[in-house]
Amino acid sequence: MKEPVMPGAVPNPLRNILDRRLPRIAGPSVLVLFGVTGDLARKKLLPAIYDLANRGLLPPGFGLVGFARRDWEDQDFAAEAHEAVRQHARTPFREDVWRQLSEGVRFVPGELHDDDAFDRLAETVRELDARRGTGGNYAFYLSLPPKLFPTVVKQLKRSGLAESSDGSWRRVVIEKPFGHDLESARELNAVVDDVFPPQSVFRIDHYLGKETVQNIMALRFANTLFEPIWNRSYVDHVQITMAEDIGVGGRAGYYDGIGAARDVIQNHLLQLLALVAMEEPVSFSADALRAEKEKVLSAVTLPEDLAQGTARGQYAEGWQGGAPVVGYLQEDGIPPDSTTETYAAMKLGVNTRRWAGVPFYLRTGKRLGRRVTEVALVFQRAPHQVFSHTDIEEMGQNSLVLRIQPDEGVTLRFGSKVPGASMEVRDVSMDFTYGQSFTEASPEAYERLILDVLIGDPPLFPRQEEVELSWKILDPIEEFWTKNGRPEQYESGAWGPASAHELLARDGRQWRRP
Amino acid sequence: MTLYLPRTTTSQISEALAAERHSVGGGAMNMVLTLVIVTDEADHYDAVRAATEAGREHPSRVLALIRRDPEAEPAIDAEIRRPGTSGPGEALLLRLFGPLGEHADSVVTPLLVPDAPVVAWWPGVGPVNPAADPVGRLAQRRITDALRAADPVGDLLSRIVHYRPGDTDLTWTRLTPWRSLLASTMDQPSAWVTAAEVTAEPYYPSADLLAAWLSDQLDVPVERKESNGPGITGARLITGAGDIAVRRLDGRVATLSRPDQPDQTVALPRRRASEALAEELRRLDADEIYEQTATHMASLLNRAGVGA
């Protein structure tokens, strides 16, 4: 006779560590979505919720409440959501799944500062608890500009929605940017921290999904092949790139005054730098990972001369991808004398034994050659060559490229003999693509995130400490830029301003063409 | 594009595949596994189709071995569906004539993707001892489907006696959504489960597996009841505070009822072959829980005096 098992206790007797077929399913809960009429909600969040339901990962007792300044009834919102799902969902549309999901869909119209609206919201979620058995667990997704966070968070507190009782939970999701400098990041944190405990706050950087983080971790630490050369003895320098082919478009109002460095480098590129440069965490837990990332971020050094070690630019009028495009200063809603940069590049150091003397070059920009995010480790040249100079003339440096998006994968570049009687070595690529080897199109970053939030899985996303560390890296550069001159104009559709190319040329290096 | 090679040999097939690779560059290196389907003329169409669909998630080289007249002269007729014709993987349909049907392993061996795992699948009636089968011996994972046998429950029971790590049966795979839903109901606090019931159409091994799984994991008596189907129509966990019940009468949407809570509906569609196959290919290691459950099922049915 086995030991009696207690149902409902931890661990669940029907879950067994050997039973890897059973997916983890979120418990009964309500997801409250602020800013539900926005692009993000329509293109990403609502489809992601449907995809989760379609994969059977949402509980039967699930409620979705939209909150926005629209004169909608529940059905209107459901119809909008239906449309969004049909258009953007990753998995095939199934009427049964949708019908079951839509039974839990509610809409609360109102303004963010309106007390009545939040009281109605509180009623709505309680009604869902009673009718759908959602168990009093609420997650709040703030798909809103950061300046509205304080209002919402205070309203959640006032209306009692933020308070949990008898075993139920409250969680809140906020999106980057987390402030615009160290001080504002701290202020924002104070507001959120006042109402929600740190483990209930999920900061999401949608560029850097959990999937990507785990892929990098697996590549670095599950293999023996890469770690021995992952240091200053073999690596010459590291290039981290995030290029966009679009301009600011509809984000003009938000973008001007923020710029490329705050928008992308502070969170996304510095997170990538941390993942690539960190030491092996003692375990795969969120805390251990965070500890290593914080260590390496605190070891990042700035170039001594910021004028020589950074570059910035604004895209100029021109042609891109076969179409004429306007320059940044001519975009709607951008003041013609704006000094906001749309391209930023910088050379950082990492002051650890592993990386001493290895420069990390970071760059990001809009209206560049194509949309790509990648990390390239460029290796040193062989210390001695038996081949003559002419034989290896066309050979570059070996490199290992982690392609983050699009078409996530890994490329290894090395020299190979050109077939034929003469001796000639030229670069070739060995290529691995996640999309080809495991075509289960990796779940959208948002699917992972929403599921993690509903399950309560500690996020791999940054906590406040990391956010503050990255502002400490960026603030001096922003300050220097504000005081010194204007961003240089660069040609749309090419790879950034001349000063950025000079930045590497001074070190005898050049940017990869991604 | 499809290439026909009548009356051919495995080396000609390999050459054709290599030529293909040279003309496009790259190629089979992206295949994550070789899926060998042992089938016949009647079943192969649906099987290859399911494999192709599953291949979107797991790009693989599909080798369909189709047995023809065992009295004929030994020969292979090959049909090669190139990558891109049917999803990212490639499919080889090999019609084996004469005594070759008995020596299919000799045909399969030269055509396996190097280093990648091999999965064998019998969409029809499978061998009693898959690991001893000539093709099964080459495979890390051997997938059978007891539902196709004349006596499904008996078929599953006779095979579990010969269980080797890597064996699995689609009657178990089809059960995952049910198990997943039941497990999730117990993620929340509930009262003691004292007994359970599983209701399904007769001669349906998945239902017996579900009953055995509940009985094994919860250590309670589980009653197997019969209904008109389709498939499993209900499962009930009887607790001190009332029943946790899942009912699915139409094979599509289930109703979940729990004590002191409103009824909830949940989409629980019956799974298509390609979905079940894709799940099987997701993990290629031994499924201990399947072995444990099937063995437990055998002992339960023997105690009750039914079954094999």
Side-chain angles (χ1 to χ4, degrees), chain A residues 46 76-87 93 95 98:
Chain A
L46 294 169
D76 301 325
F77 175 48
E80 285 285 317
H82 181 259
E83 192 54 36
V85 166
R86 287 212 86 128
Q87 269 183 33
F93 189 80
E95 198 57 42
W98 173 253

Side-chain angles (χ1 to χ4, degrees), chain B residues 128-211:
Chain B
V128 172
N129 184 353
D133 180 271
V135 173
R137 232 178 1 227
L138 296 171
Q140 277 82 19
R141 197 159 189 86
R142 295 165 293 274
I143 307 169
T144 49
D145 188 356
L147 199 58
R148 292 294 301 273
D151 170 16
V153 176
D155 186 57
L156 186 72
L157 290 178
S158 58
R159 194 169 296 120
I160 197 62
V161 179
H162 301 284
Y163 174 87
R164 308 288 309 155
D167 284 2
T168 178
D169 198 281
L170 290 183
T171 53
W172 173 244
T173 324
R174 290 192 192 99
L175 201 53
T176 308
W178 274 92
R179 295 198 302 126
S180 167
L181 180 61
L182 287 168
S184 75
T185 64
M186 292 194 61
D187 283 338
Q188 304 151 53
S190 62
W192 287 80
V193 176
T194 52
E197 281 172 20
V198 174
T199 313
E201 61 185 77
Y203 314 110
Y204 197 69
S206 296
D208 297 284
L209 281 168
L210 181 59

Side-chain angles (χ1 to χ4, degrees), chain A residues 75 316 386 498:
Chain A
Q75 308 87 286
V386 293

Side-chain angles (χ1 to χ4, degrees), chain A residues 176-199:
Chain A
K176 73 160 193 108
F178 316 117
H180 54 84
D181 58 15
L182 181 58
E183 201 185 313
S184 60
R186 283 188 174 146
E187 275 166 27
L188 175 65
N189 186 52
V191 169
V192 178
D193 209 29
D194 182 40
V195 180
F196 296 98
Q199 71 274 13

Side-chain angles (χ1 to χ4, degrees), chain A residues 81-384:
Chain A
H82 181 259
E83 192 54 36
V85 166
R86 287 212 86 128
Q87 269 183 33
H88 301 286
R90 186 173 66 83
T91 56
F93 189 80
R94 286 193 204 150
E95 198 57 42
D96 287 339
V97 174
W98 173 253
R99 199 173 312 135
Q100 184 255 325
L101 186 64
S102 62
E103 280 171 21
V105 170
R106 302 286 183 277
F107 185 77
V108 178
E111 304 272 348
L112 292 175
H113 52 74
D114 180 5
D115 289 0
D116 283 352
F118 274 80
D119 291 340
R120 281 202 306 279
L121 178 63
E123 273 167 42
T124 307
V125 290
R126 303 230 157 89
E127 180 259 344
L128 277 171
D129 284 343
R131 294 259 312 268
R132 299 266 300 164
T134 45
N137 301 313
Y138 313 137
F140 304 100
Y141 197 119
L142 274 49
S143 176
L144 297 168
K147 60 173 185 281
L148 300 175
F149 289 176
T151 322
V152 177
V153 170
K154 276 174 202 146
Q155 282 285 10
L156 290 176
K157 192 179 181 187
R158 189 202 57 79
S159 57
L161 276 167
E163 234 165 276
S164 57
S165 52
D166 34 278
S168 62
W169 50 255
R170 300 287 180 273
R171 291 172 194 141
V172 64
V173 187
I174 55 179
E175 295 224 13
K176 73 160 193 108
F178 316 117
H180 54 84
D181 58 15
L182 181 58
E183 201 185 313
S184 60
R186 283 188 174 146
E187 275 166 27
L188 175 65
N189 186 52
V191 169
V192 178
D193 209 29
D194 182 40
V195 180
F196 296 98
Q199 71 274 13
S200 301
V201 182
F202 290 69
R203 290 179 180 77
I204 171 184
D205 174 354
H206 56 273
Y207 287 128
L208 192 58
K210 190 171 188 173
E211 197 69 21
T212 301
V213 175
Q214 292 182 343
N215 286 343
I216 295 178
M217 299 274 288
L219 179 88
R220 282 195 61 190
F221 302 123
N223 297 303
T224 52
L225 192 54
F226 304 112
E227 201 54 20
I229 54 168
W230 208 271
N231 54 52
R232 67 186 304 271
S233 309
Y234 294 91
V235 176
D236 178 63
H237 69 281
V238 179
Q239 298 186 10
I240 305 179
T241 304
M242 175 169 159
E244 291 175 278
D245 53 4
I246 50 166
V248 284
R251 289 175 76 220
Y254 156 76
Y255 196 84
D256 194 59
I258 297 286
R262 288 194 181 104
D263 189 38
V264 175
I265 294 187
Q266 178 267 332
N267 36 65
H268 188 43
L269 295 196
L270 285 176
Q271 282 290 314
L272 282 175
L273 179 146
L275 289 168
V276 169
M278 71 182 184
E279 298 299 316
E280 183 169 18
V282 290
S283 77
F284 194 45
S285 76
D287 279 332
L289 178 63
R290 194 176 301 122
E292 294 305 330
K293 283 199 292 180
E294 284 170 9
K295 265 161 65 184
V296 75
L297 284 174
S298 65
V300 168
T301 57
L302 296 179
E304 271 172 31
D305 179 358
L306 289 178
Q308 300 267 308
T310 67
R312 61 185 162 146
Q314 275 176 346
Y315 58 84
E317 202 174 353
W319 286 78
Q320 185 199 33
V325 291
V326 298
Y328 180 69
L329 296 176
Q330 289 87 48
E331 294 271 8
D332 278 347
I334 302 292
D337 59 346
S338 170
T339 56
T340 302
E341 83 282 359
T342 63
Y343 178 99
M346 56 189 63
K347 172 186 174 180
L348 301 176
V350 177
N351 232 346
T352 61
R353 176 170 282 233
R354 186 190 285 262
W355 295 114
V358 177
F360 283 70
Y361 298 101
L362 275 52
R363 63 171 162 169
T364 180
K366 290 194 173 291
R367 283 239 191 280
L368 297 181
R370 71 186 188 94
R371 185 174 84 92
V372 63
T373 304
E374 61 168 43
V375 178
L377 279 79
V378 180
F379 292 93
Q380 297 165 10
R381 288 184 185 277
H384 169 74

Side-chain angles (χ1 to χ4, degrees), chain A residues 1-9 12-16 18-23 25-28 56 58-62 94-97 99-100 103 128-134 431-433 435-441, chain B residues 30 32 55-59 88 141 168 172-173 176 179-184 186-193 213-214 216-219 237 252-253 256 261-262 264-267 269 275 279-280 282-283 285-289:
Chain A
M1 188 79 188
K2 285 189 287 185
E3 284 289 305
V5 281
M6 164 102 137
N12 178 341
L14 291 182
R15 293 199 185 274
N16 189 316
L18 295 174
D19 197 345
R20 285 168 295 247
R21 287 174 193 262
L22 297 188
I25 299 184
L58 290 185
F62 177 76
R94 286 193 204 150
E95 198 57 42
D96 287 339
V97 174
R99 199 173 312 135
Q100 184 255 325
E103 280 171 21
L128 277 171
D129 284 343
R131 294 259 312 268
R132 299 266 300 164
T134 45
D431 211 34
F432 159 72
T433 304
Q436 277 172 8
S437 292
F438 313 96
T439 357
E440 181 178 26
Chain B
N30 292 318
V32 293
R56 296 215 179 92
E57 187 176 324
H58 310 274
R141 197 159 189 86
T168 178
W172 173 244
T173 324
T176 308
R179 295 198 302 126
S180 167
L181 180 61
L182 287 168
S184 75
M186 292 194 61
D187 283 338
Q188 304 151 53
S190 62
W192 287 80
V193 176
W213 178 65
L214 290 172
D216 194 30
Q217 303 293 328
L218 297 174
D219 202 13
L237 304 175
R252 294 167 60 192
V253 178
L256 166 68
Q261 282 203 14
Q264 295 162 342
T265 56
V266 52
E275 290 169 301
E279 177 182 313
E280 278 309 329
R282 219 163 282 156
R283 299 206 78 105
D285 49 355
D287 187 345
E288 292 94 344
I289 299 289

